[in-house]
């Protein structure tokens, strides 16, 4: 029968316990979790609205992912997600960078 899985030989990817026949199961890229085990690897809280970030096989809530892995902008101090400008050992949002071409006329 399509969509039906035999849970006798399946275990939760986090706690390694089996599943009850009517248990709610979370499937994340083929890994199965009890709904109570599908939590952030840092704060151990459930993911708000099911949104999580994965890094090196571990799943993080948005806040902890930013704190642990996102660079901070040298101008505004906010986390940078997406494009990053790196120069002079600093990082900036593209809109915060102060990189400008300056032309100077020299008199001889």
């Amino acid at each position: 029968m399509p969509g039906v899985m035999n849970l006798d030989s399946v275990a939760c990817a986090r706690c390694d316990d089996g599943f009850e026949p009517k248990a709610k199961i979370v499937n994340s890229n083929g890994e199965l979790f009890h709904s109570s085990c599908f939590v952030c690897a840092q704060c151990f809280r459930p993911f708000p609205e099911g949104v999580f970030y994965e890094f090196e096989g571990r799943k993080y809530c948005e806040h902890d992912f930013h704190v642990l892995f996102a660079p901070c902008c040298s101008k505004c101090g906010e986390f940078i997600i997406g494009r990053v400008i790196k120069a002079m050992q600093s990082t900036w949002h593209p809109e915060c960078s102060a990189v400008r071409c300056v032309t100077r006329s020299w008199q001889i």
Side-chain angles (χ1 to χ4, degrees):
M1 179 184 249
V4 175
M5 177 187 293
N6 181 354
L7 297 178
D8 292 338
S9 61
V10 179
C12 174
R14 182 164 182 261
C15 72
D16 210 31
D17 287 343
F19 297 97
E20 294 295 319
K22 294 189 179 193
K24 289 186 178 181
I25 300 173
V26 177
N27 182 341
S28 175
N29 294 326
E31 289 184 301
L32 302 179
F33 298 86
H34 296 106
S35 57
S36 60
C37 289
F38 191 64
V39 295
C40 175
Q42 183 69 20
C43 68
F44 304 107
R45 293 185 183 134
F47 301 111
E49 300 169 18
V51 175
F52 67 92
Y53 293 76
E54 190 165 343
F55 184 71
E56 295 182 347
R58 300 182 78 196
K59 294 163 181 51
Y60 299 91
C61 64
E62 184 174 23
H63 171 78
D64 287 333
F65 181 82
H66 290 168
V67 169
L68 293 168
F69 305 112
C72 282
C73 179
S74 294
K75 181 176 181 184
C76 71
E78 295 293 322
F79 294 116
I80 304 172
I81 303 299
R83 283 192 60 215
V84 177
I85 304 293
K86 291 184 178 184
M88 302 178 291
Q89 298 177 341
S90 295
T91 56
W92 297 276
H93 292 104
E95 60 273 15
C96 291
S97 71
V99 178
R100 291 184 173 69
C101 294
V102 178
T103 58
R104 185 179 228 173
S105 58
W106 295 91
Q107 292 182 350
I108 301 178

